[in-house]
Structures are given as structure tokens and as C-alpha cells.
Amino acid sequence: MFTGLSLLPTPVLLQMDVITADTAVHLSILLFLVLFQSSAGLQYKYSTDSHSLPWSGSVSYGGSTRVSRNRRAPGTTQTVTEDNHDYYNSIYYPTTGSKYYIDLDTEDDQYTTITHAGLSSAHLTAAPVVLPFIFSFYGHNITAVHIATGGFLYVGTFVHEFLTATQYIAPLMGNFDSSLNGSASIIRYGSNGTAFTVEWKNIHVNHREEAGGFTFQTTLFDDGRITFAYKKIPVAVSNITGGNGHPVTIGLSDGFYIDEPIYEGSTVEKRTIYSYHVISIETSKVKPAAAFELFPLPTCNQLMSCGECTTKDIQFDCAWCPAIEHCSSGLDRNRDDWVDNKCDLEATYTDCPSTTGSATPVWVILLILLICLLVLSLVGWVVYAYRYPNSQSGMFLIESQSFVKGKFQRNSSNDEAYIVDAKMQTLDDEPVAEAPKEQATEVVVKNTADVSEA
């Protein structure tokens, strides 16, 4: 539900209410004007027909600048323009762009092509399609896009009604209506495994049907490259502006989301979408047989370790946040986590923690040192007591040994008193002792009478 307009100094585009208790997202949106165009009042519908392939200028926030120079295209006399942006370099082919246009009618042997019936007869409608490969967009890996009838791809992870605001790939974003031209209007896509192409063919402008049909396409490559190619542009693009407030845009944009309570203690959160970078191509450059080629540049969020993050020489000031183990310039799709974990305050630009493992807490080190000291002291005392037995330590050690030994012996005697050996003989069974046999002594017994007579 559209509730109001205001002009803000920050790059806030959209705000949405998010009910965290039910994890349900309300698509009632406060729309803010912050870029050069506004999508106020423009809402996109969604086709429930989700598809997947069988397998399976110039401008930006944050001080981005554009440097233009001319060079010759190889093998031609055509001058092309190369622009350097922060996230992409772009090359413009004014008249030799036909080689970048993929004819899906004749590439059947290499391309698997699908015509989306729902999108081919609709207006302000978008439908999700799964990509045949992981595609890097502003350094973030995406696996699906939403194809929109308005001549662009929405590449955000949060689906809302105002898709033209940010997070798009737009070969020619406009108020196109594929239902005006009957079956002659086609929106289709195809892939050969390494390239994914979307084509808008014979699409008319909703408020300028008499202008004729437009035919153009964009191709995403598995190495992150993007091409815009144009085949049929019946009128200057500047003549199709207006109509439902739909912006006319050529270029790229990415953003991030910030969730925060609408007031302190509230369980209802507002979601604010920020656009942190935009590449806007001049509409006057869109002509038949023209093309743009955009090459991705290295970004901080592609660096997976602190060492890479703090030493890699790229066009950003990258910082490593140990709390989330993420490298960033502070502006990417992970901005919400970056702020929540205080990475903007604690991230490091130069010094990295030890790579051998996490640092041991100080108290653990002190405890280990204390235990080692106690053990060494005890060993030293025992050695001293043995060497000097007449000392107090020596006497104490001897007494301790005697006490322990005596206690052990007493316990052993008590135990032996109760031992019964089944092999022991009783006294009655013991043999009678015999006299030694070396020298036998004769014993004579006489009567007393005999003695007296003697």
C-alpha cells in the first residue's frame, strides 16, 4: 500500500514492515524518492509459473567515478567506448554489437530455449527462473533471477512489489506490455550451460503502442560478464519515457537491506532497502546493432581470508571482520550483519589474527604457568630432602616414608591373618621330629635296686 512520498538525504529506497514473530513479510511499502527516477505507484505482479532450465553514464553512490576513453575495436575501424566503474568495466559497441546478439532461433543445437507463456502476454509481471550456474553479481553469488516484462532482470533475494528501485540488470527497463501485440510478442530465455540469455522480442510500450515493437536481450556468463545487445529499436529510447511512472533505465544496480524495529521494544520491524551502487548508461546509446559488454572487477566480499582481505590490491579499502569472518568495504549485501556485529568499529585493515588457530585466553595461560611452577617446586623440594636427610625437609620426608610404610605393613599383616591356605596341615598331621642320626647315644635303664647294689 502506497502511503506517502518524501525526499531523503540518504540513499533509502523502500521501507517495509516485517513481523518477526510470525516471520511474515508485509508488502505495505513506504516509497522514497532518492535517485534520478521514481517508481512511485508502479507495482509488479508475480507469475506463479516458476521455471528452470533442464540442467538439473555513470554514477554511483560512495564516490564512484567514471573515466572514459576511446579505443579501436580489433579488426574494425569502429571506435568503442570503455568506461571504468568501481564494480564493472563496460565497453560500448555502437554499430558492431550484432556479434553479441544471440539468435535463439538458430542456436537450437547449442541452446536450450524456453518461451515463457505467462510473461509473453502480460504487463508489470515478473517470474522466477533458476540459473544453470552460479552467477557472480557485484561479487555476490546468485542462483536465480526474476524476469520482468519491463525489460530487466530482478536479482534481489527479497521479493517486493517495487522491483525497479534497485538490484536489477536492465538492458532496457521500460513500460513494456507483451499483451499488446498478441502472439507476436515473446519473452524467452535459454542457455548452453555457460551462458544464460533472456530475450524480449517485439515488445510494445504500454502507453506508446504506436512506437512499434522492441527486440533486445541480455546474456549472463558464468565468469560474471554481462552483455546488452539490441536488434530492433524503432524509436529513440528518450521517446518512451513516462507511463505509469515506470522508469526508463539501462544499467546495473545493487543494494542491501536493513531491518530495525519501528520503535524501541516493538516486535514489528521496518525493512529499509538501500542502493549502494548504480551504473546508469545513457539512453541515447541504445540503437539497433549496438551492444554493451560489462566485465566484473574484484570486490572485497570475494576475498575469503583475512590475509587476502588486508593485502589484496584492489580498488576498495577492504577490512576483515573476525566476528562474521567476512571481508567488506562496508557496502555490500551483508551490510546488516556488518553493522549488527560492530564490524564497522572492530574490523581490521592491516593486522590479522594468528592463522595457527584461535588465540588462547590469558587466564588459561596463567593457569598453565601456575601448575608448572607448583610441579617444579615439588620436584625441587624432594631432591633437596633426599640430598640433605638431616634437614627438616629430609627428616619430614623420612618420617613420611616410615609412616606410609608402617601403615602399609600393618594393613598387610591384618590381611594375612585372615588368609586360609587349603594346603596347610593341622598339628595332628605334622610328623614327629626324629633325633639326629650322626651319633646315636645308648641309653641304659636300670632299676633302682640295681643302682643301690652297685
Side-chain angles (χ1 to χ4, degrees), residues 20-92:
T20 55
D22 300 327
T23 64
V25 178
H26 287 271
L27 291 178
S28 56
I29 301 173
L30 300 177
L31 182 65
F32 294 88
L33 296 174
V34 285
L35 296 177
F36 301 106
Q37 304 99 347
S38 167
S39 56
L42 179 65
Q43 299 185 1
Y44 264 77
K45 300 172 290 183
Y46 297 94
S47 170
T48 58
D49 184 14
S50 178
H51 286 243
S52 63
L53 288 166
W55 319 224
S56 207
S58 52
V59 182
S60 57
Y61 290 98
S64 173
T65 59
R66 185 185 74 168
V67 179
S68 298
R69 65 181 182 273
N70 292 331
R71 68 179 179 85
R72 297 289 179 178
T76 72
T77 59
Q78 173 63 48
T79 300
V80 299
T81 302
E82 182 174 339
D83 293 340
N84 294 330
H85 310 276
D86 281 343
Y87 294 87
Y88 288 86
N89 282 344
S90 62
I91 299 178
Y92 172 53

Side-chain angles (χ1 to χ4, degrees), residues 228-305:
F228 299 157
Y230 307 93
K231 187 175 183 179
K232 184 180 178 182
I233 306 296
V235 297
V237 174
S238 59
N239 293 333
I240 65 171
T241 58
N244 296 327
H246 201 302
V248 175
T249 302
I250 300 99
L252 309 176
S253 177
D254 198 25
F256 57 83
Y257 314 133
I258 296 292
D259 294 333
E260 54 188 354
I262 59 175
Y263 57 86
E264 186 175 357
S266 174
T267 58
V268 179
E269 290 187 338
K270 65 176 180 180
R271 168 162 290 181
T272 307
I273 304 179
Y274 293 81
S275 176
Y276 66 87
H277 190 263
V278 179
I279 296 176
S280 182
I281 298 173
E282 297 175 13
T283 58
S284 61
K285 293 183 177 181
V286 175
K287 302 174 181 179
F292 296 92
E293 190 173 15
L294 297 100
F295 300 86
L297 297 175
T299 59
C300 296
N301 54 303
Q302 292 176 311
L303 306 177
M304 296 293 104
S305 69

Side-chain angles (χ1 to χ4, degrees), residues 12 15 20 172 229 240-241 318 321 323 327 375 390 435 450:
V12 180
Q15 288 187 329
T20 55
L172 181 52
I240 65 171
T241 58
C318 301
C321 182
C327 183
V375 171
N390 293 328
D450 296 335

Side-chain angles (χ1 to χ4, degrees), residues 86-156:
D86 281 343
Y87 294 87
Y88 288 86
N89 282 344
S90 62
I91 299 178
Y92 172 53
Y93 305 95
T95 59
T96 59
S98 298
K99 62 183 179 181
Y100 295 97
Y101 201 95
I102 299 174
D103 192 340
L104 297 179
D105 293 322
T106 61
E107 295 287 341
D108 291 341
D109 56 335
Q110 299 180 11
Y111 262 69
T112 298
T113 304
I114 297 174
T115 297
H116 197 294
L119 293 178
S120 296
S121 58
H123 180 225
L124 297 179
T125 303
V129 175
V130 178
L131 296 175
F133 48 78
I134 297 175
F135 179 71
S136 178
F137 183 70
Y138 280 85
H140 298 281
N141 293 333
I142 61 175
T143 58
V145 299
H146 281 75
I147 301 175
T149 56
F152 67 98
L153 306 179
Y154 174 70
V155 293

Side-chain angles (χ1 to χ4, degrees), residues 100 102 111 133-136 192 194-197 218-227 293-294:
Y100 295 97
I102 299 174
Y111 262 69
F133 48 78
I134 297 175
F135 179 71
S136 178
N192 62 1
T194 61
F196 174 80
T197 300
T218 183
T219 299
L220 314 182
F221 296 89
D222 59 359
D223 60 2
R225 286 180 298 127
I226 302 171
T227 60
E293 190 173 15
L294 297 100

